[in-house]
Amino acid sequence: MRFFTEGAVRAGAVITLPLLTYFLGAAEFGKYALVQATTIAVVPIVSLGVGFSLIRQIASAEKTETISRFVLTALGLVSVTGIPLVLLVCFSADLLSELIYQDASLAGLLRIAAFLLLVSVWQGVIQEALRARQMTTFVSFLNIAEVTILPLMVVFMVWIDVLDVAHVIAMAVILRLLASILGVTHLLPPKAFVDLRNWRLSSSELRSLLAIGLPFMVAGVGEWLMGLGDRLVIGVMSGAAAVGIYAATQVLVSVLSSWGAPFWWVLFPRLCHAFELEERNRAYRQARKLVRIFMVTGTAVAISLAIIGPEIVTMLFAGKEQVARSFLVILLIATFVNQAATPWEYAIYIEKRGKLLMYATLSWGCVAIILNVLLLPYLGLSGAAIAVLVGRVGFAVQIFVVSTRLGHGHEIAPAPWEFGLLLGVACGGLLVSQLVAAAIGWGTELSTIWQDTGQLAVFLAVFSASYLVAFRKYLRDQVFRPVALGK
């Protein structure tokens, strides 16, 4: 179900993206991306990390009263931090737009984005609570509804000729507010909202909620620095049009993130539950299985995007903009490394070593921003991509080392031979597909998009067949034969 939901969410983004890029253009879409990046930057600060903390607190709770107290108190906390911030932004948007974007025309968008920030925090807390209670089907319904309605409303705005960035952000505010209301009323009984005892925790419970959540908050800021902070740097140094191209490419790359999300979405609650029951071997088996599946299928997705991605970006901007394949490949590698490292990150959180992750994420995020400032003037958008790659790889290596010291590193990772097998099969499939594409391009006059599509089809066929054959051969030679000899 979660794979279907992620597919629907990504499909909604894929439908919305070309509508915005085609009808708004690179510069206006860049403004939308800048405001969106700013909103996401503040979300972890306002949320205090309590969404992730709720998973630890209510995943195994049996009493409705306990669940109600934690969820409603969490919503109250983020409202106390979020509402004053919204008021501050509304009254000082002109000054903030000059300071942040060096563009006073974005003040109106910043005011609307302040409300988007608040409802996004509410939605995040509620969805994490639903996730902790294993209400996957309802969360999927909310996600699918949101990503279905938004592109339909964009089409409607195009039809009545009122499409602009402000209307798109306002529509997102309305949809997320409705999703938040539906989510919390589905999670909690009506009587829970009127019982004032459910709106406060004991001092020890509140400390526990914040102690677990605050490292997530700081880690979220670091994650933003590595993943979205570059948009602000690009906006200031290269302009909104460059941000539009960069953001559109990142949306394409986020297909790989969405591919990994279903694995990790179900893994964290299961790891928490298994560790609480001291069933570590079961937790390791689950983690290895999910990492293995992601490594294989994620490799296929990443290479597929590298093959056909540049043409997709060109089409998004009606042929007016282009991106280098090397730029796209760098972003894909960074995203793949980030996704593959997620289980080790979870293991550190479960061991209550969140501060280590907090410092690691923040420090590597700062490294990524500094590299952006240094490389962007000389390498353009590829420099920004290299900065992201350095930040992601550095963070992944550090958390693997920390996880290994805690006894989890090699327990979660699949066997080394699997990595070698995967690399060999991927390189072989890519080589064969490149040769076929070169032959097609030399002997015909097909357009680039059709050549890339042919190469993609050949790669997927060769990769799938080669991996299955190589895997079966290993099992036969290295597993079944020794068992037979032992007899």
Side-chain angles (χ1 to χ4, degrees):
M1 183 63 183
R2 193 61 196 172
F3 277 101
F4 175 76
T5 303
E6 286 296 329
V9 170
R10 190 48 48 200
V14 168
I15 294 171
T16 306
L17 177 64
L19 290 173
L20 296 179
T21 55
Y22 187 86
F23 289 103
L24 294 178
E28 288 299 308
F29 180 72
K31 293 179 181 179
Y32 172 77
L34 277 172
V35 173
Q36 186 184 50
T38 307
T39 302
I40 295 173
V42 188
V43 165
I45 298 174
V46 174
S47 69
L48 302 173
V50 297
F52 289 98
S53 183
L54 278 177
I55 296 177
R56 289 285 301 272
Q57 302 292 346
I58 69 174
S60 302
E62 297 180 357
K63 295 182 178 180
T64 304
E65 292 79 6
T66 302
I67 299 171
S68 300
R69 285 192 300 111
F70 275 101
V71 172
L72 293 178
T73 302
L75 288 173
L77 282 173
V78 299
S79 298
V80 168
T81 58
I83 292 176
L85 182 62
V86 171
L87 296 175
L88 176 64
V89 171
C90 288
F91 285 112
S92 59
D94 295 309
L95 175 62
L96 291 174
S97 61
E98 282 283 1
L99 292 175
I100 299 174
Y101 310 118
Q102 299 181 359
D103 186 352
S105 65
L106 293 177
L109 297 181
L110 199 56
R111 290 187 177 95
I112 304 174
F115 291 95
L116 179 63
L117 161 67
L118 183 61
V119 297
S120 296
V121 172
W122 287 340
Q123 183 186 37
V125 171
I126 294 165
Q127 290 206 352
E128 291 297 347
L130 290 168
R131 172 188 177 189
R133 302 305 300 170
Q134 300 292 317
M135 296 182 180
T136 309
T137 302
F138 188 74
V139 174
S140 300
F141 165 76
L142 293 178
N143 291 338
I144 293 172
E146 181 180 346
V147 300
T148 302
I149 295 172
L150 183 59
L152 291 176
M153 294 307 300
V154 171
V155 171
F156 178 72
M157 285 186 277
V158 171
W159 182 50
I160 63 175
D161 197 25
V162 297
L163 179 66
D164 58 26
V165 176
H167 283 102
V168 174
I169 298 176
M171 182 54 59
V173 172
I174 295 172
L175 291 176
R176 292 185 183 183
L177 179 60
L178 291 174
S180 300
I181 294 172
L182 291 173
V184 74
T185 53
H186 181 80
L187 177 66
L188 303 178
K191 63 180 182 180
F193 299 95
V194 297
D195 189 345
L196 296 180
R197 291 174 298 179
N198 290 333
W199 290 88
R200 62 180 182 271
L201 295 172
S202 66
S203 57
S204 60
E205 290 173 328
L206 186 58
R207 284 195 299 269
S208 176
L209 187 70
L210 292 175
I212 298 173
L214 289 177
F216 278 96
M217 179 192 75
V218 179
V221 175
E223 189 70 21
W224 176 85
L225 289 172
M226 281 193 284
L228 291 173
D230 45 9
R231 294 188 186 183
L232 290 185
V233 177
I234 295 169
V236 172
M237 300 182 68
S238 302
V243 177
I245 297 170
Y246 187 77
T249 307
Q250 281 190 320
V251 172
L252 181 64
V253 171
S254 69
V255 171
L256 182 58
S257 300
S258 295
W259 186 263
F263 299 104
W264 322 134
W265 198 86
V266 300
L267 178 62
F268 189 44
R270 292 181 181 180
L271 285 181
C272 289
H273 187 63
F275 272 67
E276 286 179 2
L277 299 177
E278 298 184 355
E279 296 179 354
R280 297 201 170 202
N281 289 333
R282 178 166 67 90
Y284 293 145
R285 286 196 301 271
Q286 292 177 341
R288 281 195 300 270
K289 179 180 179 180
L290 292 174
V291 171
R292 181 182 297 114
I293 297 173
F294 171 76
M295 294 289 287
V296 176
T297 59
T299 297
V301 171
I303 295 178
S304 298
L305 291 172
I307 292 172
I308 203 167
E311 286 299 313
I312 293 177
V313 175
T314 300
M315 292 169 62
L316 290 176
F317 292 101
K320 297 178 182 178
E321 308 290 348
Q322 293 182 334
V323 296
R325 194 181 304 274
S326 57
F327 160 63
L328 177 60
V329 168
I330 294 170
L331 285 179
L332 286 168
I333 294 174
T335 303
F336 185 90
V337 170
N338 178 61
Q339 288 293 307
T342 302
W344 289 275
E345 188 175 352
Y346 285 170
I348 296 173
Y349 275 123
I350 294 171
E351 289 286 0
K352 298 181 180 180
R353 302 296 181 90
K355 288 185 178 180
L356 294 174
L357 281 176
M358 176 181 71
Y359 295 131
T361 308
L362 194 59
S363 59
W364 285 107
C366 291
V367 168
I369 291 297
I370 293 171
L371 286 177
N372 259 288
V373 175
L374 296 176
L375 297 178
L376 191 62
Y378 303 100
L379 300 176
L381 294 182
S382 293
I386 292 172
V388 173
L389 177 62
V390 172
R392 295 294 190 191
V393 172
F395 174 74
V397 170
Q398 184 172 350
I399 65 170
F400 178 78
V401 171
V402 172
S403 183
T404 300
R405 290 174 179 173
L406 295 174
H408 306 303
H410 296 287
E411 296 292 338
I412 293 176
W417 69 265
E418 295 186 60
F419 293 103
L421 171 63
L422 179 60
L423 180 62
V425 170
C427 291
L430 190 57
L431 177 61
V432 172
S433 65
Q434 286 276 27
L435 293 175
V436 171
I440 294 174
W442 179 74
T444 64
E445 296 183 357
L446 291 176
S447 62
T448 305
I449 183 64
W450 286 110
Q451 292 183 35
D452 289 347
T453 302
Q455 181 182 355
L456 174 61
V458 173
F459 166 75
L460 290 176
V462 173
F463 177 86
S464 302
S466 300
Y467 186 82
L468 290 174
V469 170
F471 188 71
R472 290 182 63 184
K473 184 179 187 303
Y474 176 87
L475 289 178
R476 184 179 66 250
D477 293 345
Q478 303 298 328
V479 178
F480 296 125
R481 184 191 297 175
V483 171
L485 291 175
K487 295 179 180 179

